Amino acid sequence: VSIEGEGITSVIKSTLTSDWTALLLLQSPEGTPGNQHISFLKFDGQNGSTYWAIYVAGRSNVSINNCTITDFKDRGVLFGGRSDNEEAPPDIYAAGNTFHDNTLLNCAAYNTANGVYGRGCLNIGGQEGMLIYNNTIVQDQRPFGFNGWPIKYYNHGYLKGCKIYNNKLTKMPNQGLFPGDRGWDFCIELFNESGLEIYGNTIQGSLDFNHQTKGDYPYSVWIHDNIISQPVLNSSFESGIIFEFESEGLIVENNKLNNISGAILFYTRDYSYVADVTIRNNSFLNIGKKSGNGNNGTVIGLYSESTNNYSVSNLAIYNNTMIAANGNAPFYGIEIVGAAMATGIKIQNNTIQG
């Protein structure tokens, strides 16, 4: 069954107010082909009265496109490869799902009273080859400390060969006194990715990745030709691209990152490894903070956040431009500290100023 409307004048809303309940549910055993679309509709959460808009669970070949989704309490749209909602990889990944040409506004919660956990306007997990493109997703409409992320993992992620491109993604600027103070600056947060490509996006907020391995792909995460920027330099710490835990086979190239504090940051844990990473041809401008003392940032930094330090091998950083902000510049353009082992590091032909 497909559902088609005529645009924002075709409105679907509900009297549902129960938690963990979707207005529209598409649920089947893993790997079931939906071969269906939901298009040219407006889903109205009525100022947070309804919990979720659309939940796709276990199905493949589902397209949600040209829809406007606004004001849902907890999450907007969920694509889960599993039908049982467990936080584990599915036995059969959902394949061929698409989410494009949609507008999502004010559909992601970060409610400190409910366990300090950020939700997403769009939530994805257990997907293979999913395409997410030409969307506008904005989450800055709630008071500080209550805004989730535009895009978030679901069922602990597990994403293979997915692409996120040509989107406009906006997260409220950070107002915390330190990272994690009443929320994070994440615009995208994903777990367990292989073959993920992110390109052509205009992003306000940071990209946060956890557990990135190549699997059957030539790279784990390939980030290229994006603009990641804040409107103005913030007095609070604003991140650009964050990699946590292990990172294998990363490519970060041809991006523009402006008006932020930490451009590319690796936060490792016990015995994590950073291997086969290329960072090249990026422009990092006005990096630092507007005011205040303390941590003003780093353009590229590798750190250990645990007792047992990480290893780094085959790290190439070249042909990048790194320009510090005036007044509250970072101490370092490139900072690599706390590694138990470091081999094959090449830092070449970069411009580092201020």
Side-chain angles (χ1 to χ4, degrees), residues 56 59 77-82 87-90 92-97 122-132 151-164 188-198 208-222 248:
V56 182
R59 288 193 196 176
V77 177
L78 303 90
F79 279 87
R82 301 183 66 99
E87 292 191 348
I92 303 173
Y93 278 66
N97 290 327
L122 172 65
N123 308 262
I124 56 174
Q127 302 293 312
E128 184 171 1
M130 185 176 183
L131 304 179
I132 300 167
I151 298 177
K152 167 92 173 185
Y153 67 86
Y154 189 63
N155 293 144
H156 229 61
Y158 300 105
L159 305 168
K160 296 181 179 181
C162 298
K163 297 181 187 293
I164 301 172
I188 299 177
E189 183 187 21
L190 299 176
F191 274 35
N192 298 301
E193 324 87 34
S194 299
L196 172 66
E197 185 178 4
I198 298 179
D208 182 75
F209 305 99
N210 297 258
H211 308 291
Q212 25 290 337
T213 56
K214 291 193 295 185
D216 296 328
Y217 298 88
Y219 52 84
S220 62
V221 182
W222 179 19
E248 172 191 50

Side-chain angles (χ1 to χ4, degrees), residues 69-71 102-108 120-122 135-142 147-151 168-172 187 202 204:
I69 301 164
T70 65
D71 299 318
N102 302 291
T103 299
L104 276 78
L105 306 174
N106 191 31
C107 290
C121 292
L122 172 65
N135 303 288
T136 297
I137 308 178
V138 180
Q139 188 56 59
D140 62 1
Q141 300 89 345
R142 306 185 189 195
N147 289 278
W149 331 146
I151 298 177
K168 184 177 181 180
L169 309 175
T170 302
K171 169 69 182 291
M172 173 182 277
C187 197
T202 300
Q204 179 181 302

Side-chain angles (χ1 to χ4, degrees), residues 66-85:
N66 295 282
C67 290
T68 299
I69 301 164
T70 65
D71 299 318
F72 283 83
K73 180 180 179 180
D74 186 74
R75 294 175 173 94
V77 177
L78 303 90
F79 279 87
R82 301 183 66 99
S83 61
D84 59 6
N85 202 33

Side-chain angles (χ1 to χ4, degrees), residues 14-86:
S14 174
T15 58
L16 286 170
T17 58
S18 300
D19 287 354
W20 318 109
T21 303
L23 191 160
L24 180 61
L25 175 64
L26 295 72
Q27 187 171 20
S28 299
E30 290 181 13
T32 300
N35 299 330
Q36 62 192 134
H37 59 268
I38 300 165
S39 60
F40 295 99
L41 293 160
K42 180 178 180 179
F43 292 83
D44 184 356
Q46 302 180 87
N47 294 318
S49 174
T50 307
Y51 209 67
W52 295 344
I54 306 171
Y55 181 20
V56 182
R59 288 193 196 176
S60 297
N61 297 322
V62 175
S63 174
I64 299 175
N65 64 82
N66 295 282
C67 290
T68 299
I69 301 164
T70 65
D71 299 318
F72 283 83
K73 180 180 179 180
D74 186 74
R75 294 175 173 94
V77 177
L78 303 90
F79 279 87
R82 301 183 66 99
S83 61
D84 59 6
N85 202 33
E86 293 294 323

